[in-house]
Amino acid sequence: MGQDPYHGPGQAHGLAFSVNDGIKHPPSLKNIFKEIEQDLGQPAPESGNLTRWAEQGVLLLNSVLTVRTGEAASHQKKGWEKFTDAVICELSERRKNLVFMLWGNYAKKKGSVINREKHLVLEAGHPSPLSVRYFRGCGHFGKANAFLTETNQSPINW
């Protein structure tokens, strides 16, 4: 769960934290890859396209789904939050044993609609350079895979 799409030209393509092939990795994505390397010992991939995660069942969702070019958070409080709350609430109610990774205070607010008795909720700071010190070392990727394995689900190939 992220905050809103990347706001640089050509960066956002519909999956939170992901960029198309050939696009320079934004700082948040670099920090995510550094965390995976520290947590799981996997080197950072060349591509920042996270479609491979989505194909394994990872929902890469932002709290706000649009943004004005060059203006982070420019479409907050325009209704997207209600929509994404409804998505998270439906997943929480209809499924069991999901892993929710809520990064940053904006995403952590989504935790209020998640049934924590049915799901694993992992919270940390946002991976942006401004708050990476609260993200670094969170171990979310290993914790997610451990939970998935414990609940007889396939771990994610991060």
Side-chain angles (χ1 to χ4, degrees), residues 12-84:
H13 74 102
L15 301 175
F17 298 106
S18 182
V19 294
N20 278 315
D21 292 335
I23 301 294
K24 183 180 174 185
H25 296 183
S28 293
L29 184 58
K30 286 181 185 178
N31 287 330
I32 289 168
F33 287 158
K34 285 178 186 176
E35 179 61 25
I36 291 171
E37 188 168 3
Q38 179 184 342
D39 189 16
L40 304 176
Q42 293 177 207
E46 287 187 30
S47 173
N49 189 327
L50 303 180
T51 299
R52 64 189 179 280
W53 294 0
E55 290 170 346
Q56 297 175 76
V58 177
L59 176 61
L60 296 154
L61 183 67
N62 282 312
S63 297
V64 173
L65 303 183
T66 60
V67 67
R68 192 173 300 118
T69 300
E71 296 180 43
S74 57
H75 289 177
Q76 287 181 358
K77 300 180 183 163
K78 296 189 180 293
W80 284 124
E81 294 89 347
K82 290 179 185 178
F83 175 78
T84 55

Side-chain angles (χ1 to χ4, degrees), residues 89-155:
C89 188
E90 283 294 311
L91 286 170
S92 178
E93 292 303 313
R94 293 179 185 239
R95 302 284 305 272
K96 67 177 183 173
N97 296 327
L98 297 177
V99 178
F100 292 88
M101 295 180 183
L102 308 178
W103 297 340
N105 291 332
Y106 208 79
K108 288 177 188 177
K109 292 177 185 175
K110 298 293 183 188
S112 66
V113 299
I114 299 170
N115 182 337
R116 292 168 187 255
E117 292 183 19
K118 290 173 57 178
H119 308 289
L120 176 63
V121 178
L122 302 172
E123 298 182 356
H126 194 280
S128 86
L130 299 175
S131 59
V132 71
R133 67 184 176 273
Y134 303 110
F135 175 76
R136 193 176 300 124
C138 67
H140 283 185
F141 301 96
K143 290 174 184 175
N145 278 351
F147 178 82
L148 292 170
T149 300
E150 289 168 13
T151 56
N152 298 315
Q153 301 176 80
S154 296

